[in-house]
Amino acid sequence: MKNSAVGPLHRDCGSLHPQDEGTEVEIRGWVNSTRDHGGLIFVDVRDSSGIAQAVADPRTAPEAAAAASSLRSEDVVALRGAVRRRPTGTENPKLTSGDTEVALDSVSILNRSLTPPFPVHGEADVEEGLRLKYRYLDLRRPHMQRNLALRHRAIKAVRDYLDEQGFLEIETPMLIKQTPEGARDFLVPSRLHGGQFYALPQSPQLFKQLLMVAGFGRYFQIARCFRDEDARSDRQPEFTQIDLEMAFPTIEGVIAVVEGMLAHMFRQALAVDVGAPFRRLSHADAMARYGSDKPDLRFGMELIEVTPAFEGTQFKVFAAAVQAGESIVGVVDEGGAARSRRDFDALARVAAEWGAKGLAWIAFTPDGLKSSLPKAALETQTIDRLGALTHAKQGDAVLMVAAERTEARTLAGKMRLHLAAQNNLRDARRFEFCWVLDFPLFEINPEGGIGPMHHPFTAPAVGSESLPGDPLSLRAQHYDVVLNGSELGSGSIRIHDAALQRRIFAMLGYPEDEVAERFGFLLEALAFGAPPHGGMALGVDRIVQIMVGAESIREVIAFPKNQRFQDLMMQAPARVPKALLDELRLRVDLPPAPPVSQRS
RNA sequence: GGCGCUGUAGCUCAGUUGGUUAGAGCGCCUGCCUGUCACGCAGGAGGUCGUGGGUUCGAGCCCCAUCAGCGUCGCCA
């Protein structure tokens, strides 16, 4: 904040230093707290730069002291006086201005505040619903100020970096056309075209492809996206993406840009060096070693296929699993032999909640083996083979699940994360990035047909243009960037050939007339000299959340919705007057709204 | 949509086996206090115990329903 913006004497609270001694200043801000000693009144004033202490002495400035003693938390004040050093021994090292104070000459009260519903100063724990209802007060709290300032710096770093790399920021429309697949769309009724609707974009995907066709070789946007899906704790109906796209790209080219961008973000916003280039894993590798396509690489604990150890086992459950061609996947819990039977039982219950049929465990204690398996199943041969496969040491425990291979890996992968959390291995101050590559192009959807793993515009891997018989064997030119077990972003080289795009739509079973209706403009655009293109989209909210180590993305969004996607401050969504509905030619199939007075 | 946890003063919470007038800390109000910074001291106000119903001589506590907040799963190219 420049001083000239608010008056010649004005100084930021956090900026006062001993060198200012004797200077007449004015500080403006909110009353953080007051300490009235009768003969001396201290007022702590907070602005966005920090806190300054002002002192009123009734003997030298009776009017100012009287006003100061009337001040209460969150009153807005402008205080004038001379800066002076605090008496030796009374400095406050917790404040940047803590060596100084302002000797009050005058107090002007710019606005009184009601008693706030929760303390604004400090970091008191307050129920989130209340914080959201009074979000403007919650945002006044120092940690929210810090979070949003960091978010600003992160986004600014993106703009600076991509600008430097020759990217243009181009806006795309918010009122677009509904498409039936993917997530549900938010609809916006059209008044001018009664009975017709716009949709809010789930992402600028199609528009950025069209910008490539248009010849903007490098595009980006800090784009708001909307998805009308069921609420989940870490989801918002509207969220922000860094959306970028390049013409004539290679996967390596996109990866280099995004790595550079993320490194710049972390350097500028956090002063952290993230160590690019990032590690890389194939999708198959990630699944095999971590049971997830977004592995948390802050710790090892790789999954181990232990099926061979149980060939010919007496343990009926595993014998049956091996017989059925299932896999037994294990994870080593270092030091886990110290767990109590109760502990293991609790882990088994957690695994059951995830859908595991059971959780087997063997603990290598100093007093010998402890296990959920029957004694008869703990043949020396089995134990030796298990030890050789897992490298479990004395004091460790091996936890195992048996299931169809992918499912077993997924379950073991969840257990890996669960154990790591219990063992405090998920350190929020560490940032382990990786790329996941070589995704399948298609996957089996719940109806049993094939669907796109990501979206239908992803180009097949080089060499598979002929699209051979088994669609599930096709690889995609797709890449995810992952941080600490969270997918930050996902991108691909797109299909730029209209004929190939048609073939992919056909393989997905989209009827031809539907394709024409929904994607006709895209196919047409591709046919007018679309360049090869590809890009990526990254979730800003998630990135910033991880940067600040917050529990929820709501901690890094200024005005988020609650878990039911409602705005507790404005009370949105809300019913609207019937006249508005009439204008839109809409009729609502609900009983009449209750009178407003009955609602909270 | 399912499941779980929570709901008591402005805030954060305690509240015994169902039993007299429902408590604490902070905040708020009043007074005192010249070096505090979570100032201190003394006094005071403040409660439809989320809401509705039920059981009971008696319900903050037990039962049913409902609302809200949070968490979690389904869902989310």
Side-chain angles (χ1 to χ4, degrees):
Chain A
M1 207 191 294
K2 292 285 189 294
N3 291 344
S4 58
V6 279
L9 296 181
H10 178 263
R11 289 288 300 273
D12 288 342
C13 291
S15 75
L16 300 181
H17 283 286
Q19 301 93 294
D20 298 315
E21 191 170 359
T23 316
E24 182 78 8
V25 299
E26 179 175 279
I27 52 177
R28 297 180 175 185
W30 290 264
V31 173
N32 196 61
S33 60
T34 59
R35 293 172 294 283
D36 187 343
H37 289 224
L40 206 55
I41 301 152
F42 297 96
V43 180
D44 285 354
V45 180
R46 166 178 19 88
D47 64 20
S48 55
S49 71
I51 291 173
Q53 171 172 283
V55 192
D57 187 334
R59 292 172 309 174
T60 58
E63 273 182 45
S69 76
S70 80
L71 293 175
R72 295 294 177 267
S73 293
E74 304 313 312
D75 286 343
V76 183
V77 291
L79 305 181
R80 285 194 184 201
V83 177
R84 69 182 180 212
R85 269 177 188 277
R86 294 198 192 187
T88 308
T90 65
E91 299 89 351
N92 185 347
K94 285 187 263 182
L95 305 181
T96 58
S97 66
D99 290 337
T100 63
E101 62 191 9
V102 175
L104 278 184
D105 293 332
S106 78
V107 171
S108 71
I109 297 166
L110 305 178
N111 205 353
R112 292 281 191 186
S113 171
L114 296 174
T115 300
F118 51 83
V120 172
H121 63 91
E123 306 289 327
D125 220 6
V126 180
E127 194 205 324
E128 193 174 7
L130 195 70
R131 293 175 54 198
L132 293 176
K133 178 173 176 187
Y134 297 97
R135 189 60 161 179
Y136 41 86
L137 293 179
D138 189 37
L139 293 175
R140 204 183 277 168
R141 305 204 298 170
H143 82 279
M144 293 303 288
Q145 295 265 322
R146 276 199 302 276
N147 286 359
L148 292 183
L150 189 136
R151 181 182 175 119
H152 159 78
R153 290 200 301 276
I155 291 175
K156 179 172 187 304
V158 169
R159 288 203 159 97
D160 291 347
Y161 179 84
L162 292 177
D163 173 63
E164 189 70 23
Q165 297 290 316
F167 284 75
L168 294 187
E169 183 168 11
I170 301 174
E171 292 162 276
T172 54
M174 303 294 265
L175 296 175
I176 66 169
K177 183 179 174 177
Q178 191 267 336
T179 58
E181 61 174 38
R184 272 182 282 270
D185 288 308
F186 280 100
L187 296 180
V188 180
S190 163
R191 179 182 57 84
L192 293 178
H193 305 278
Q196 297 183 35
F197 296 83
Y198 300 99
L200 302 180
Q202 297 180 26
S203 80
Q205 178 64 36
L206 290 168
F207 290 97
K208 70 176 172 181
Q209 292 193 241
L210 295 170
L211 287 169
M212 293 302 106
V213 178
F216 295 99
R218 295 187 161 200
Y219 142 93
F220 84 100
Q221 185 179 188
I222 309 298
R224 195 64 66 85
C225 307
F226 304 87
R227 293 182 191 173
D228 189 13
E229 274 310 319
D230 285 350
R232 283 286 291 270
S233 55
D234 242 15
R235 203 180 281 168
Q236 287 280 307
E238 51 181 315
F239 56 96
T240 307
Q241 283 189 345
I242 303 163
D243 192 50
L244 60 91
E245 195 82 0
M246 305 157 71
F248 310 108
T250 59
I251 289 185
E252 290 303 327
V254 178
I255 284 177
V257 163
V258 172
E259 276 180 355
M261 181 186 81
L262 286 166
H264 191 66
M265 284 174 85
F266 275 72
R267 203 179 308 121
Q268 295 298 308
L270 271 188
V272 163
D273 180 358
V274 300
F278 306 154
R279 274 186 268 182
R280 298 184 186 195
L281 292 95
S282 70
H283 179 259
D285 230 22
M287 290 306 298
R289 292 164 61 190
Y290 303 101
S292 168
D293 58 5
K294 42 183 181 179
D296 190 338
L297 300 183
R298 282 174 295 182
F299 52 92
M301 293 177 69
E302 294 191 19
L303 308 185
I304 299 149
E305 172 90 37
V306 296
T307 318
F310 289 94
E311 271 161 26
T313 180
Q314 300 290 304
F315 184 41
K316 289 197 190 105
V317 176
F318 279 5
V322 172
Q323 185 68 33
E326 292 187 342
S327 285
I328 305 165
V329 177
V331 58
V332 176
D333 181 27
E334 256 183 68
R339 288 177 184 277
S340 64
R341 209 159 265 273
R342 259 177 83 120
D343 256 8
F344 283 113
D345 289 347
L347 292 175
R349 270 197 303 279
V350 171
E353 275 169 37
W354 298 332
K357 283 170 285 186
L359 179 76
W361 51 272
I362 297 180
F364 297 90
T365 76
D367 311 324
L369 293 181
K370 207 168 62 173
S371 177
S372 63
L373 270 53
K375 279 243 157 53
L378 300 172
E379 305 101 334
T380 318
Q381 191 195 14
T382 304
I383 299 304
D384 288 349
R385 283 189 294 197
L386 189 66
L389 283 168
T390 61
H391 303 108
K393 304 181 303 293
Q394 177 148 129
D396 295 346
V398 181
L399 293 95
M400 294 162 286
V401 291
E404 179 279 319
R405 191 164 77 161
T406 303
E407 197 194 344
R409 287 172 169 177
T410 304
L411 290 167
K414 283 186 180 179
M415 185 52 68
R416 171 180 177 267
L417 293 178
H418 187 75
L419 295 171
Q422 286 193 344
N423 297 337
N424 294 317
L425 297 174
R426 307 193 71 178
D427 176 2
R429 302 315 312 159
R430 281 188 58 201
F431 304 100
E432 292 293 337
F433 287 85
C434 68
W435 289 98
V436 179
L437 304 163
D438 300 323
F439 280 80
L441 187 60
F442 300 123
E443 65 184 350
I444 305 280
N445 63 25
E447 293 83 50
I450 64 165
M453 186 94 175
H454 290 93
H455 56 59
F457 318 113
T458 304
V462 181
S464 55
E465 288 89 343
S466 56
L467 303 186
D470 178 14
L472 292 176
S473 72
L474 290 175
R475 304 285 102 185
Q477 294 193 59
H478 179 98
Y479 32 87
D480 277 2
V481 66
V482 172
L483 169 58
N484 292 358
S486 289
E487 181 199 304
L488 296 188
S490 159
S492 62
I493 305 299
R494 328 294 182 186
I495 296 166
H496 65 273
D497 177 73
L500 178 59
Q501 185 68 71
R502 277 183 208 282
R503 263 190 292 160
I504 295 287
F505 283 145
M507 291 179 77
L508 291 168
Y510 298 176
E512 234 171 274
D513 51 342
E514 202 181 306
V515 166
E517 151 80 13
R518 281 155 50 188
F519 300 115
F521 66 97
L522 175 71
L523 290 167
E524 194 169 37
L526 294 180
F528 279 109
H533 59 285
M536 190 143 198
L538 297 100
V540 170
D541 309 298
R542 180 59 36 80
I543 294 173
V544 179
Q545 179 199 344
I546 296 174
M547 281 181 162
V548 304
E551 291 293 314
S552 153
I553 61 171
R554 295 188 293 269
E555 299 296 313
V556 298
I557 298 171
F559 297 100
K561 312 284 187 282
N562 72 354
Q563 199 184 95
R564 299 175 64 195
F565 287 2
Q566 295 160 315
D567 182 321
L568 295 179
M569 188 178 61
M570 350 175 76
Q571 300 284 354
R575 299 206 181 192
V576 298
K578 184 164 185 306
L580 286 182
L581 295 176
D582 290 344
E583 212 170 37
L584 295 166
R585 317 275 302 264
L586 293 178
R587 204 167 302 140
V588 172
D589 183 19
L590 277 178
V596 171
S597 62
Q598 284 183 16
R599 285 185 286 172
S600 81

